[in-house]
């Protein structure tokens, strides 16, 4: 085999490898966008539930006006304008905290807790919360995969040329990690 | 519902007597099997000397001279076969049924029925087409809000090879043998999620993970490392797989695995969760060659039946706080 052929074969091979790596990186980036989209869908579902929740709780628990107003404001903010991923995540954590506050406050209103409407709402909310948590975990898994891919040699070189940057995983705020402690309610 | 401690009391007060009552027929079956086979072997061994001794006489004479032995042997075996059936039925009715009843009197037990082949197919756990489908010891019931069905199952497929002399040879291969369980799942699911034993990752570590592939869907990597070492998850929808396999459920599956230490296949399809746990031996069968009066055997059966409850409890299937009631 002449040296020219060897060089051509090697060059073609190298090109194929580079194309393969490039495609796999693109695929990973798209997966991240897709996972974020999936999370966004679930978050929107939760936004849609908020007016309903506020209306139901208001009937029974007029004392919790502050909490309800806060969550309504946050929702308005979330649906009002376009935000980047980090802002969305931050706002969403605030909403989670506020919703959590309402659910804790509800414990003081047995009539509300027993109402059919609220029970249905609670089920739907549990559903959405579980979906959100699953979507967040998917998002984190996909991001970890993506981060690994862009930082490991030799893909890191191509990733650098493509301008791909490390993305942050979703951190669940401390308030959400704690379970409701019934005792604290009486302190 | 009886606890483990009560099981010993039940054994001593009721089951032991019943098992002792079955010892007579067990010994009869054992004797029959031994004698029957012995006679047939003897017939076979005697044929050559008989043929040598009676050479020159009528050709049929050697056969006639040993035929009575063979006939007696066959008669004994046929009778033993009948006795064994009686023994097995009595064992299941008097002993196994009692254990099931003691765990939960509302559960139904049918020793000659099993999970239907359409239920088996809906699980989509094993895609190999089945040539022989067998099973028994069906238990069905409800624990709180969750209904379940469980039975022993053995599915096989056949391969036929022809050697160079043109002789056909059939070989049977097991697809699944063990306990097959399914129950109502507490969350709504649209896609399909499968959990399989993870051999690649256990053997080759992180590198093994890249070898994991399945026609059942994309590999879903989860956060629980202990879980990931034991199982591989595939699914049509990554997020749904995580919606089903919450951190609590992953931990529960690790616990179930540690308790039984058997290969486990699971699938979440439609409104149900399917679990297939592999066992090598036949379950819930009476002993023939050694004494049937043993607490250990009863305890083993109890552990197997308890699995219905353990899966439902560990997977929190009675928690109905989501949109599905």
């Amino acid at each position: 085999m002449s040296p020219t052929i060897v060089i051509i074969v090697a060059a073609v091979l190298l090109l194929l490898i580079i194309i393969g790596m490039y495609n796999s990186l693109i695929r990973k980036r798209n997966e991240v966008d897709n996972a974020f989209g999936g999370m966004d869908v679930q978050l929107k579902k939760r936004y849609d539930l908020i007016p309903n929740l506020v209306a139901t709780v208001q009937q029974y628990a007029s004392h919790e006006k502050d909490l309800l107003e806060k969550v309504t404001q946050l929702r308005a903010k979330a649906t009002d304008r376009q935000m980047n991923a980090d802002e969305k995540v931050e706002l969403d954590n605030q909403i989670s905290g506020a919703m959590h506050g309402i659910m804790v406050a509800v414990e003081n209103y047995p009539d509300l807790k027993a109402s059919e409407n609220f029970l249905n709402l609670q089920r739907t909310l549990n559903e959405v919360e579980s979906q959100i948590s699953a979507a967040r975990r998917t998002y984190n898994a996909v991001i970890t995969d993506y981060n690994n891919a862009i930082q490991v040699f030799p893909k890191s070189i191509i990733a650098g040329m493509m301008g791909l940057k490390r993305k942050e995983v979703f951190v669940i705020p401390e308030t959400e990690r704690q379970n409701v402690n019934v005792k604290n309610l009486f302190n | 519902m009886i606890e483990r401690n009560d099981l010993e009391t039940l054994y001593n007060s009721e089951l032991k007597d019943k098992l002792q009552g079955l010892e007579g027929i067990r010994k009869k079956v054992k004797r029959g099997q031994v004698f029957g086979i012995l006679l047939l072997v003897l017939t076979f061994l005697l044929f050559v000397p008989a043929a040598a001794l009676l050479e020159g006489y009528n050709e049929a004479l050697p056969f006639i001279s040993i035929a009575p032995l063979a006939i007696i042997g066959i008669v004994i075996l046929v009778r033993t076969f009948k006795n064994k059936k009686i023994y097995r039925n009595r064992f299941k009715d008097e002993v196994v049924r009692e254990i099931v009843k003691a765990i939960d009197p509302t559960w139904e037990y049918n020793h000659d029925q099993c999970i239907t082949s359409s239920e088996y197919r809906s699980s989509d756990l094993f895609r190999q087409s089945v040539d022989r489908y067998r099973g028994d010891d069906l238990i069905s019931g409800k624990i709180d809000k969750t209904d379940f069905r469980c039975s022993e199952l053995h599915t096989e497929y056949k391969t036929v090879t022809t050697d160079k002399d043109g002789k056909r040879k059939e070989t049977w291969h097991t697809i699944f043998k063990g306990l097959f369980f399914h129950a109502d799942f507490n969350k709504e699911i649209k896609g399909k999620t499968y959990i399989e034993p993870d051999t690649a990752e256990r053997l080759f570590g992180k590198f093994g993970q890249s070898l994991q592939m399945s026609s059942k869907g994309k590999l879903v990597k989860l956060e629980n490392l202990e879980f990931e070492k034991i199982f591989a998850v595939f699914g049509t929808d990554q997020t749904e797989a995580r919606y089903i396999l919450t951190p609590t459920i992953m931990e529960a599956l690790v616990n179930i695995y540690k308790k039984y230490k058997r290969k486990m296949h699971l699938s979440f399809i439609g409104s149900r969760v399917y679990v297939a746990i592999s066992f090598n031996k036949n379950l819930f069968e009476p002993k023939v060659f050694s004494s049937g009066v043993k607490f250990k055997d009863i305890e083993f059966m109890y552990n197997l039946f308890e699995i219905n409850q353990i899966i439902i409890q560990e997977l929190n299937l009675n928690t109905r706080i989501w949109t599905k009631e």
Side-chain angles (χ1 to χ4, degrees):
Chain A
M1 224 189 310
S2 74
T4 347
I5 297 183
V6 173
I7 290 168
I8 290 174
V9 169
V12 168
L13 221 61
L14 192 70
L15 193 70
L16 283 178
I17 291 173
I18 290 173
I19 291 174
M21 286 200 278
Y22 175 82
N23 284 347
S24 107
L25 285 171
I26 291 285
R27 221 170 286 133
K28 291 216 155 64
R29 194 186 63 191
N30 289 345
E31 270 173 22
V32 170
D33 292 343
N34 189 23
F36 190 80
M39 200 165 68
D40 214 24
V41 170
Q42 297 304 332
L43 293 178
K44 282 215 177 78
K45 272 195 200 161
R46 184 160 72 176
Y47 299 152
D48 294 343
L49 281 175
I50 290 172
N52 215 337
L53 177 76
V54 169
T56 313
V57 174
Q58 233 161 15
Q59 284 175 18
Y60 296 85
S62 41
H63 301 302
E64 309 297 340
K65 219 173 153 193
D66 289 350
L67 268 175
L68 297 174
E69 260 170 26
K70 190 180 164 201
V71 81
T72 311
Q73 273 168 12
L74 286 171
R75 179 190 180 263
K77 221 170 162 185
T79 46
D80 192 30
R81 61 192 178 91
Q82 285 291 321
M83 282 178 291
N84 67 28
D86 289 342
E87 279 177 321
K88 235 176 204 168
V89 167
E90 172 54 32
L91 189 64
D92 189 56
N93 284 342
Q94 285 180 27
I95 292 183
S96 291
M99 300 277 271
H100 188 72
I102 293 178
M103 284 310 176
V104 173
V106 160
E107 297 290 324
N108 296 327
Y109 303 91
D111 287 350
L112 170 61
K113 264 177 69 186
S115 87
E116 179 91 0
N117 205 356
F118 181 74
L119 286 176
N120 280 335
L121 207 60
Q122 200 174 25
R123 271 176 184 279
T124 320
L125 213 57
N126 284 338
E127 180 80 38
V128 174
E129 293 288 351
S130 306
Q131 297 278 11
I132 289 176
S133 126
R136 281 179 177 177
R137 286 166 60 215
T138 305
Y139 183 66
N140 282 354
V142 170
I143 287 222
T144 309
D145 223 28
Y146 166 85
N147 283 343
N148 285 342
I150 64 164
Q151 288 176 329
V152 172
F153 182 80
K155 274 190 193 157
S156 54
I157 301 172
I158 298 169
M161 289 194 288
M162 285 164 76
L164 296 179
K165 290 208 178 68
R166 206 189 127 81
K167 289 181 194 267
E168 289 306 314
V169 293
F170 212 120
V171 184
I172 296 166
E174 202 55 42
T175 47
E176 268 184 82
R177 273 197 223 135
Q178 290 163 350
N179 287 325
V180 181
N181 187 342
V182 182
K183 260 195 212 148
N184 288 347
L185 296 176
F186 302 105
N187 288 340
Chain B
M1 166 69 213
I2 62 164
E3 296 297 324
R4 190 166 300 269
N5 302 339
D6 305 332
L7 185 70
E8 203 154 354
T9 322
L10 176 80
Y11 174 75
N12 287 323
S13 63
E14 279 181 50
L15 299 178
K16 205 170 171 181
D17 288 343
K18 284 185 174 156
L19 285 166
Q20 237 134 23
L22 290 172
E23 278 294 271
I25 189 166
R26 179 186 73 79
K27 284 178 184 155
K28 214 162 140 187
V29 172
K30 180 181 159 187
R31 266 199 312 269
Q33 280 188 353
V34 173
F35 276 125
I37 291 169
L38 219 61
L39 278 176
L40 289 185
V41 172
L42 201 67
T43 316
F44 189 73
L45 290 176
L46 282 178
F47 180 73
V48 183
L53 216 66
L54 299 170
E55 211 185 332
Y57 297 93
N58 188 326
E59 270 179 15
L61 214 53
F63 289 100
I64 296 166
S65 66
I66 57 162
L69 271 184
I71 291 169
I72 296 171
I74 289 166
V75 169
I76 290 179
L77 281 182
V78 169
R79 274 182 47 191
T80 304
F81 182 74
K82 277 186 194 157
N83 280 335
K84 196 174 173 185
K85 214 169 161 186
I86 296 170
Y87 172 45
R88 186 174 170 270
N89 288 347
R90 276 187 58 192
F91 175 79
K92 301 222 169 191
D93 272 334
E94 293 173 22
V95 180
V96 184
R97 187 180 297 282
E98 283 304 310
I99 302 172
V100 177
K101 217 168 91 186
I103 294 179
D104 191 327
T106 63
W107 290 3
E108 264 190 53
Y109 171 69
N110 282 302
H111 69 72
D112 49 0
Q113 283 181 31
C114 65
I115 295 283
T116 64
S117 57
S118 78
E119 289 169 278
Y120 172 82
R121 272 198 307 275
S122 327
S123 78
D124 199 27
L125 283 173
F126 308 99
R127 289 189 173 167
Q128 173 77 42
S129 67
V130 177
D131 293 318
R132 189 155 67 192
Y133 188 95
R134 285 179 298 179
D136 53 10
D137 301 301
L138 176 72
I139 294 182
S140 54
K142 212 168 176 186
I143 299 177
D144 197 1
K145 291 164 196 151
T146 310
D147 70 276
F148 71 91
R149 275 160 72 80
C150 172
S151 87
E152 200 184 345
L153 215 59
H154 188 191
T155 55
E156 294 162 288
Y157 69 94
K158 181 172 74 172
T159 51
V160 180
T161 46
T162 323
D163 63 11
K164 55 180 189 295
D165 302 329
K167 250 191 186 169
R168 256 170 59 101
K169 198 183 161 218
E170 273 185 11
T171 324
W172 288 93
H173 311 267
T174 292
I175 304 168
F176 169 72
K177 185 180 161 99
L179 274 185
F180 196 96
F181 165 97
H182 66 94
D184 185 36
F185 194 61
N186 54 354
K187 289 178 179 172
E188 305 239 22
I189 28 186
K190 294 180 199 86
K192 293 177 173 183
T193 301
Y194 307 87
I195 303 178
E196 296 187 347
D198 187 343
T199 26
E201 196 169 334
R202 207 172 318 162
L203 288 176
F204 307 113
K206 259 287 175 251
F207 170 69
Q209 201 173 47
S210 56
L211 296 176
Q212 293 164 348
M213 260 191 294
S214 170
S215 55
K216 290 174 177 168
K218 266 183 94 171
L219 177 73
V220 182
K221 289 185 213 163
L222 296 168
E223 311 88 329
N224 186 328
L225 294 178
E226 206 179 0
F227 176 89
E228 276 289 305
K229 270 192 196 131
I230 305 169
F231 302 109
V233 178
F234 299 94
T236 50
D237 180 344
Q238 282 221 39
T239 303
E240 187 170 86
R242 291 189 174 88
Y243 169 65
I244 295 166
L245 298 169
T246 61
T248 324
I249 300 291
M250 282 193 276
E251 205 132 301
L253 288 171
V254 170
N255 286 342
I256 297 175
Y257 173 79
K258 279 186 181 162
K259 187 169 163 63
Y260 291 95
K261 289 240 163 49
R262 296 276 159 191
K263 258 193 195 171
M264 284 170 62
H265 289 81
L266 289 98
S267 66
F268 299 83
I269 294 172
S271 60
R272 302 192 79 80
V273 45
Y274 299 86
V275 186
I277 305 175
S278 302
F279 283 91
N280 299 326
K281 60 175 178 182
N282 282 328
L283 309 169
F284 318 116
E285 295 298 325
K287 283 194 169 155
V288 173
F289 289 98
S290 62
S291 168
V293 196
K294 270 193 204 131
F295 178 65
K296 230 180 80 191
D297 298 338
I298 301 297
E299 201 182 13
F300 180 66
M301 280 193 267
Y302 173 87
N303 282 341
L304 293 179
F305 287 135
E306 210 193 1
I307 208 162
N308 299 313
Q309 215 175 349
I310 287 178
I311 294 174
I312 290 177
Q313 272 170 6
E314 287 273 336
L315 298 190
N316 290 328
L317 296 185
N318 281 321
T319 308
R320 304 277 166 153
I321 58 166
W322 297 280
T323 39
K324 183 172 166 181
E325 302 233 357

